[in-house]
Amino acid sequence: MGFKHEFVRVCLVMFLLVWVIEAIEAEDNIRFFNVKDYGAVADSRNDNTQAFLKAWNEACKWEGRARVWIPKGTYMLNTVTFQGPCKGSMAFVIKNGVLKAPADKKSFLSTETWINFQYVDQLTVAGDGTLDGQGAAAWPYNDCSKNPDCHSLPATMGFGFVTNSQVHHVRSINSKNTHFVLYGCDNMNFTKIRISAPGDSPNTDGIKIGRSTRIKISNSVIGTGDDCVALLSGLKKIDISQVVCGPGHGISIGSLGKYDDEDEVEEISVKNCTFEGTSDGVRIKTWASGFDGKVSNLKYEDIVMNNVGKPIIIDQEYCPHPPCSQTPSKIQISDVTYKNFRGSSSSDVAVTLNCSPSKPCSDIRMENIDLWHQNSGSGKRVTSSCSNAYGVSYGKQSPPSCF
Ligand SMILES: *[C@@H]1O[C@H](CO)[C@@H](O)[C@H](O)[C@H]1NC(C)=O
Ligand SMILES: *[C@@H]1O[C@H](CO)[C@@H](O)[C@H](O)[C@H]1NC(C)=O
């Protein structure tokens, strides 16, 4: 009697549970596509590309909220493109796991991006997981500083024409090239991202953005071998806030002016960011070349510099590998605000505004700049160096302003 009673009770509870889960699923229309159900093996050796692709393709056909689910573990993954458009919203959840890039030369010299998302709307990439680019195996093949025909190494994760999407709580380590690269994207938020690679790893930009609009990067820590954030041509409404950058080359606009088909860069805001021992802080770099361009409406505000090589720099004669053209840059830089800067410079020239004689910088505003030499205790002072730059200054000015 007691047994039968218990049995009925268990059945009832089970039935209720299933009913509740189904009700929740139906209501939210969420469905999980676990890569393990498609043959993925977390042994950190076998290639899981086909299993991941199958899970993505099934998820992409689901008309509700599809979640490609990657349970804890280390998964080897070759070059892969997750393609949209999809029927519903998509999530790619790396649950505390690690995705590992191939380390053999054959697989990485023939591709631009390791994990690529294309033409996806409403994508979420999250899950506290790590993308391990295994860059150390590839960096010796980066000879682009000497060889103009060099193969560029693949970026870790690419977003091409991805819209209304977010990337949060994801970690990228030791990318072979750029960690995250965006092209043709609109309305994307990056939050709580951690990026790391050695300070001397070549071309390992943190987040590189071209031809995109309404991109936000916030609450993130980026330490890498190249720019923490690199902003290329064709950008509008890019907001960067609460980012800690270092080691690295700072937050850069450019380089611009190397090609003749570049679009404007406008409405860029960098707020509440900290730079730790970077070679540069906030930088704008354009090549001395005959190509037109326009950079305008930039706001740098509430910035802390700790032992930064060149905290504020505009360089319109950018030329990392001489010899270079002597044509003055035709990129017009205007309407740039630097407000509430404090901290230390590791070089004497804390502010460099090296603008083009053919397109002088205009409407530069410096407000409350409080930068000191790292060795100010031993009497070292910082200075400003300006050419072809016009603007105004308010409030505290250390170094003394050019205006
Ligand atoms: C990004 O964040 C802003 C608020 O900071 C929000 O208005 C917007 O909807 C977010 N976009 C996405 C795609 O989550
Ligand atoms: C940004 O920094 C300023 C000054 O340090 C501070 O007053 C403000 O609250 C910060 N904003 C955020 C969103 O943390």
Side-chain angles (χ1 to χ4, degrees):
M1 190 65 176
F3 174 76
K4 197 174 163 200
H5 189 80
E6 188 64 12
F7 179 75
V8 167
R9 222 170 63 106
V10 168
C11 281
L12 213 94
V13 168
M14 296 269 280
F15 174 79
L16 264 172
L17 254 174
V18 168
W19 181 76
V20 166
I21 288 170
E22 278 187 350
I24 289 172
E25 278 200 357
E27 189 181 309
D28 285 352
N29 228 357
I30 293 180
R31 193 159 147 192
F32 290 84
F33 297 82
N34 188 327
V35 291
K36 287 203 161 165
D37 296 340
Y38 295 85
V41 184
D43 63 358
S44 83
R45 281 204 323 272
N46 276 297
D47 174 28
N48 288 293
T49 313
Q50 289 314 314
F52 275 56
L53 261 181
K54 273 188 217 151
W56 173 271
N57 289 337
E58 285 301 306
C60 189
K61 291 182 204 147
W62 173 250
E63 290 193 15
R65 295 166 58 190
R67 299 199 167 165
V68 175
W69 192 260
I70 303 144
K72 196 171 170 153
T74 300
Y75 302 81
M76 174 63 83
L77 191 63
N78 244 300
T79 296
V80 59
T81 297
F82 298 114
Q83 194 90 31
C86 296
K87 290 267 171 66
S89 68
M90 296 292 285
F92 187 87
V93 185
I94 313 160
K95 206 61 204 162
N96 294 310
V98 179
L99 305 188
K100 227 169 156 180
D104 62 300
K105 187 177 159 194
K106 201 169 76 229
S107 65
F108 64 66
L109 285 185
S110 55
T111 180
E112 278 183 26
T113 312
W114 170 33
I115 303 170
N116 213 355
F117 293 95
Q118 278 184 355
Y119 302 102
V120 190
D121 185 45
Q122 299 183 62
L123 168 70
T124 300
V125 178
D128 276 318
T130 299
L131 308 168
D132 180 356
Q134 301 225 75
W139 296 325
Y141 297 97
N142 182 325
D143 59 353
C144 294
S145 61
K146 291 166 269 170
N147 175 8
D149 303 319
C150 65
H151 281 285
S152 65
L153 298 169
T156 283
M157 187 171 269
F159 299 91
F161 307 96
V162 169
T163 50
N164 307 310
S165 295
Q166 32 180 319
V167 181
H168 60 85
H169 295 93
V170 178
R171 180 160 189 215
S172 172
I173 62 169
N174 299 330
S175 55
K176 293 186 171 78
N177 198 307
T178 300
H179 293 261
F180 295 96
V181 58
L182 282 71
Y183 186 88
C185 296
D186 175 55
N187 189 21
M188 280 191 83
N189 291 346
F190 286 75
T191 46
K192 310 228 164 111
I193 304 294
R194 284 172 301 161
I195 290 175
S196 69
D200 59 357
S201 54
N203 300 110
T204 53
D205 287 326
I207 303 179
K208 184 151 97 181
I209 314 176
R211 296 234 152 91
S212 295
T213 47
R214 298 192 296 165
I215 310 294
K216 282 195 162 72
I217 302 169
S218 60
N219 289 292
S220 295
V221 179
I222 306 176
T224 193
D226 207 324
D227 294 331
C228 289
V229 181
L231 302 169
L232 306 184
S233 91
L235 301 183
K236 187 168 181 166
K237 293 192 193 298
I238 311 295
D239 283 345
I240 301 169
S241 62
Q242 319 275 105
V243 168
V244 178
C245 164
H249 298 176
I251 295 182
S252 299
I253 293 178
S255 56
L256 298 172
K258 197 177 183 186
Y259 307 103
D260 67 356
D261 60 347
E262 292 180 348
D263 293 325
E264 290 180 18
V265 173
E266 54 189 345
E267 294 181 57
I268 310 292
S269 137
V270 178
K271 285 193 180 156
N272 283 57
C273 293
T274 301
F275 295 78
E276 300 280 357
T278 49
S279 63
D280 304 81
V282 294
R283 172 162 67 150
I284 306 169
K285 46 183 174 173
T286 78
W287 294 77
S289 75
F291 300 128
D292 282 333
K294 207 174 149 204
V295 176
S296 63
N297 196 349
L298 317 180
K299 287 195 168 60
Y300 298 101
E301 225 175 292
D302 299 316
I303 306 287
V304 177
M305 300 283 174
N306 290 321
N307 301 343
V308 170
K310 296 168 184 153
I312 294 177
I313 172 163
I314 295 178
D315 179 8
Q316 294 213 260
E317 292 177 309
Y318 179 69
C319 177
H321 314 301
C324 299
S325 150
Q326 300 300 313
T327 320
S329 171
K330 282 171 77 183
I331 310 272
Q332 171 74 63
I333 298 172
S334 63
D335 193 2
V336 185
T337 299
Y338 300 95
K339 183 175 171 182
N340 301 340
F341 277 59
R342 63 195 160 87
S344 56
S345 168
S346 58
S347 75
D348 300 350
V349 186
V351 175
T352 305
L353 306 177
N354 179 19
C355 297
S356 168
S358 80
K359 297 272 178 177
C361 298
S362 61
D363 287 310
I364 311 281
R365 276 180 301 277
M366 311 285 288
E367 186 171 349
N368 295 326
I369 307 296
D370 192 6
L371 296 170
W372 296 90
H373 199 285
Q374 183 184 338
N375 303 322
S376 59
S378 50
K380 282 240 181 201
R381 296 271 169 271
V382 287
T383 58
S384 301
S385 160
C386 306
S387 47
N388 308 304
Y390 297 92
V392 289
S393 54
Y394 308 96
K396 183 162 180 127
Q397 297 293 326
S398 168
S401 164
C402 297
F403 308 130

